[in-house]
Amino acid sequence: MTRPEGAPDGRASATASSAVERLIESTRELLWERGYVGTSPKAILQRANAGQGSMYHHFSGKPDLALAAIRRTAEEMRAEVARLLDGPGTALDRVGAYLRRERDALRGCPVGRLTQDPDVMADPALRAPVDETFDWLRGRLTEVLAEGRVRGELDAGLNPEATAASVVAVVQGGYVLARAAGTPAAFDQAVTGVLGLIEGHAAAGNR
C-alpha cells in the first residue's frame, strides 16, 4: 500500500525525532560541562553527531536550542524532587529523602550551575526556567514542612518558609564546597548539618 501524497513518512519522522533528542541532550550535557558561552553550535553538532541543517531545521538557533535543553533539565529535576517530596513518611522523612538523594556532587546541580552563567542570567527567556524551578522547590519544601507542623511532626517553633529557603541554599552551597574541596564529603556534611537542625524541631516520636 502506497503512502498518500503529503502524508508524513514514519521513518523520516522517527529520524527527525531522534535528531532533535540528540541535539537537546547534547546541549544539556555541554551547558552543564562548559556553560552557555562554551557551548558552541559546532560543539553541539559534533556531540550530537548531527549536520548543521538538522539543527537549524528544528531550532531557530543556539538560544532556542539552549532554552529547550534548560527546560528539559528543569522539568526532570522537578519531577525527581516531586517524587521524593510527595512520597510516604513524615515531613522529616520526605525532606531527608530529598537531601539524601543520589547526586554527583562534584559535577554540581545542572540547574543551579546556570545561575553562575552570566549569559543565561542576562537572557529573560533562558533565565525563566531556572527561576521557576527554584521558586517551585522553595514552595514545595515550605508546603511539606508546614504539613509537618500541622500534623504535629514538627514543633511550632519551626518556620517552614525560612527553613525551606535554608535547605535550598545549603544544597546549592554544598555543591560549591564539594567542588572546591574535590570531594563529595563536603556536600554530605552540609546536608547532614541542615537535616540535623530540622530534626531538632521534630516531635520526640518522629526523630
Side-chain angles (χ1 to χ4, degrees):
M1 181 177 179
T2 58
R3 178 169 56 90
E5 185 177 354
D9 185 323
R11 289 172 298 179
S13 177
T15 300
S17 177
S18 175
V20 169
E21 283 299 305
R22 293 200 310 275
L23 288 166
I24 292 175
E25 289 301 314
S26 296
T27 304
R28 292 176 67 194
E29 294 169 3
L30 288 166
L31 285 171
W32 198 357
E33 294 169 9
R34 307 181 185 180
Y36 186 79
V37 171
T39 302
S40 66
K42 181 179 179 181
I44 293 170
L45 294 173
Q46 289 178 337
R47 180 74 64 95
N49 191 26
Q52 183 173 353
S54 176
M55 175 176 172
Y56 290 100
H57 175 72
H58 298 290
F59 302 95
S60 61
K62 173 183 166 179
D64 188 34
L65 177 52
L67 178 57
I70 292 171
R71 282 177 174 164
R72 173 80 62 84
T73 297
E75 288 167 1
E76 287 192 1
M77 176 177 164
R78 287 174 62 164
E80 171 61 13
V81 173
R83 182 182 67 81
L84 297 170
L85 293 180
D86 297 344
T90 66
L92 186 59
D93 292 334
R94 291 147 66 195
V95 173
Y98 162 67
L99 287 169
R100 299 292 191 191
R101 77 183 180 97
E102 186 175 348
R103 297 173 169 88
D104 187 342
L106 296 182
R107 289 192 72 189
C109 173
V111 176
R113 288 190 69 178
L114 293 171
T115 65
Q116 303 169 42
D117 193 316
D119 293 277
V120 172
M121 292 294 98
D123 187 316
L126 296 178
R127 178 174 181 159
V130 178
D131 289 343
E132 290 165 6
T133 297
F134 283 115
D135 286 344
W136 173 86
L137 179 56
R138 286 191 297 269
R140 188 68 191 101
L141 283 165
T142 297
E143 291 171 354
V144 171
L145 292 166
E147 290 169 10
R149 283 206 323 181
V150 170
R151 295 173 182 171
E153 299 164 358
L154 299 169
D155 66 42
L158 180 137
N159 182 320
E161 188 172 6
T163 303
S166 297
V167 168
V168 175
V170 167
V171 169
Q172 294 303 315
Y175 284 120
V176 174
L177 293 174
R179 288 171 63 81
T183 171
F187 179 92
D188 295 339
Q189 186 177 39
V191 298
T192 296
V194 74
L195 189 56
L197 293 175
I198 300 173
E199 287 174 345
H201 289 277
N206 292 295
R207 294 180 183 178

